[in-house]
Amino acid sequence: MRFVIFGLTVSSSWGNGHATIWRGLCNSLSGEGHSVTFFEKDVPYYRSHRDLVCSSRYTLELYRDWPDIEDRARAALRECDCAIVTSYCPDARVASDLILESKVFSVFYDLDTPVTLDGLARNGEVNYIPVFGLEPFNLVLSYTGGDALTELSRQLGARRVAPLYGSVDPDVHRHVSCDPSFRSDFSYLGTYAADRQPQLEELFLSPAKKVPGKKFCIAGAMYPADFPWTSNTYFVRHLAPPQHPAFYSSSRMTLNITRSTMAQMGYCPSGRLFEAAACGTPIVSDWWGGLDTFFTPGDEILIARNSDDVLQAMNSEESELNRISCAARERVLAQHTAAHRASELISLIEASA
């Protein structure tokens, strides 16, 4: 099958979760004999933080402005079997028009559904959603399941909608040797977001204050100058995806925090959950509806609702943490790899064609 994708980015993982998702999916689709061309607008923000220039397994088409790429995009659509446009794609609307005009099998993939629905409620529209909604697309995919699927149909007219959750590439995310620069008792990997900050303060910074002899490490982008660091909290400004395994493998435990709009809707597993589990690192996570469909609390993941829960988790015996991390890793490798998602994508397309 030949794919053409119009997305936010695959070339830069800086400050977004899209790039890692697409790298895994594109590699897995290619590995199964499918061809992929990914169109990405070459914006300054990602250009200055690019950690992938090209791939031997799929084609990356970088462009400055839509008129520069329109003819190439039109030609690619004539040769493809399936075209996908994603949330936050800078040219999502014109790309959608071109896809629907081409009559190719069309997919809209919303990797930010709760944000999309929140934007609709606040402003009446979202700039990456076509003005006519999602009804014309043959298939609408959502990174978030549960009620999000119903709302995409109710509010935006999606006729056939299905979840396509995050995933992990086990060839990349696996346990590696500890890196002393990342060594910590408790870690957190994530881009700064204001709506995650209350949870970060409760589940990370508050425990850090209570156990000053332990080392806490945060890695991510866009943290403000006035972030309330503690004396035992260390900061790594940004980690490219190839460094994630070393970061997780150097953490005794790691924290997952979900953005509030996503947590409220539920069924929103972050790719970081799958990455950490694949690296064999015990995970402490905030709670959201549907989490127990991906990991079994107490057996494969630990749940924290406050700082005391985090401290209790940190006091767990090593044997117990090893049991939990091994079970989580087995679950991820059996159900949540990029290869699983690529297979799901092909099955969804075939069932909808």
Side-chain angles (χ1 to χ4, degrees):
M1 191 174 291
R2 295 162 297 181
F3 288 87
V4 171
I5 301 165
F6 300 90
L8 172 64
T9 181
V10 72
S11 75
S12 174
S13 63
W14 186 273
N16 75 89
H18 290 219
T20 302
I21 295 168
W22 280 118
R23 291 175 193 180
L25 276 175
C26 291
N27 283 329
S28 293
L29 288 168
S30 174
E32 293 298 318
H34 307 287
S35 69
V36 180
T37 299
F38 193 103
F39 286 91
E40 174 184 338
K41 189 168 186 176
D42 187 16
V43 299
Y45 181 77
Y46 292 134
R47 187 186 314 133
S48 60
H49 299 99
R50 186 157 288 144
D51 45 30
L52 184 148
V53 177
C54 64
S55 170
S56 61
R57 307 189 73 176
Y58 53 91
T59 301
L60 171 58
E61 292 276 7
L62 289 168
Y63 66 95
R64 292 296 180 96
D65 296 295
W66 182 256
D68 299 333
I69 202 68
E70 184 171 356
D71 288 343
R72 269 189 287 168
R74 195 182 299 275
L77 289 171
R78 284 197 295 267
E79 301 296 324
C80 83
D81 301 296
C82 175
I84 303 174
V85 63
T86 79
S87 54
Y88 279 100
C89 172
D91 291 306
R93 286 183 170 178
V94 289
S96 295
D97 289 341
L98 196 63
I99 289 171
L100 296 170
E101 173 191 318
S102 72
K103 305 300 183 183
V104 68
F105 187 91
S106 57
V107 178
F108 187 93
Y109 187 10
D110 195 337
L111 289 95
D112 308 274
T113 308
V115 177
T116 299
L117 297 173
D118 184 64
L120 288 173
R122 292 173 181 271
N123 307 311
E125 67 171 2
V126 178
N127 61 9
Y128 51 78
I129 298 290
V131 294
F132 45 78
L134 301 178
E135 188 275 336
F137 288 90
N138 298 114
L139 176 64
V140 173
L141 300 174
S142 174
Y143 189 85
T144 309
D147 292 341
L149 307 181
T150 301
E151 293 305 311
L152 285 172
S153 295
R154 188 180 71 84
Q155 297 190 42
L156 291 170
R159 290 179 289 122
R160 176 168 173 76
V161 61
L164 191 68
Y165 296 113
S167 61
V168 68
D169 183 347
D171 291 335
V172 175
H173 296 98
R174 53 191 175 81
H175 186 76
V176 299
S177 298
C178 175
D179 184 329
S181 62
F182 298 146
R183 191 192 304 273
S184 68
D185 295 290
F186 199 53
S187 68
Y188 172 71
L189 172 57
T191 300
Y192 176 82
D195 65 351
R196 270 199 292 248
Q197 187 60 19
Q199 285 285 70
L200 187 58
E201 293 192 14
E202 175 64 28
L203 302 181
F204 193 89
L205 297 174
S206 178
K209 293 175 183 176
K210 294 177 180 178
V211 284
K214 301 290 186 181
K215 182 176 179 180
F216 290 67
C217 186
I218 292 179
M222 301 172 65
Y223 282 81
D226 61 351
F227 188 82
W229 303 106
T230 67
S231 60
N232 58 336
T233 301
Y234 299 81
F235 180 53
V236 180
R237 184 167 179 262
H238 171 67
L239 282 181
Q243 294 179 293
H244 289 191
F247 181 81
Y248 285 126
S249 298
S250 304
S251 307
R252 181 174 181 262
M253 303 182 72
T254 197
L255 175 67
N256 174 74
I257 299 177
T258 311
R259 296 192 65 169
S260 61
T261 52
M262 301 188 76
Q264 290 166 12
M265 189 151 284
Y267 291 85
C268 52
S270 165
R272 293 184 300 275
L273 278 171
F274 301 135
E275 289 182 7
C279 291
T281 304
I283 303 167
V284 177
S285 179
D286 60 340
W287 173 257
W288 37 264
L291 175 56
D292 51 353
T293 66
F294 300 95
F295 295 98
T296 302
D299 290 333
E300 298 167 334
I301 197 169
L302 297 172
I303 306 301
R305 291 179 169 82
N306 53 52
S307 60
D308 289 339
D309 291 341
V310 173
L311 293 174
Q312 182 177 344
M314 293 182 68
N315 287 329
S316 300
E317 297 290 337
E318 292 300 322
S319 59
E320 176 67 3
L321 295 181
N322 287 337
R323 180 190 67 79
I324 290 171
S325 63
C326 287
R329 184 174 186 276
E330 290 177 4
R331 179 79 174 265
V332 165
L333 296 182
Q335 297 180 1
H336 301 301
T337 67
H340 287 107
R341 297 294 182 259
S343 178
E344 290 171 18
L345 174 60
I346 295 298
S347 295
L348 287 165
I349 292 168
E350 292 176 343
S352 303

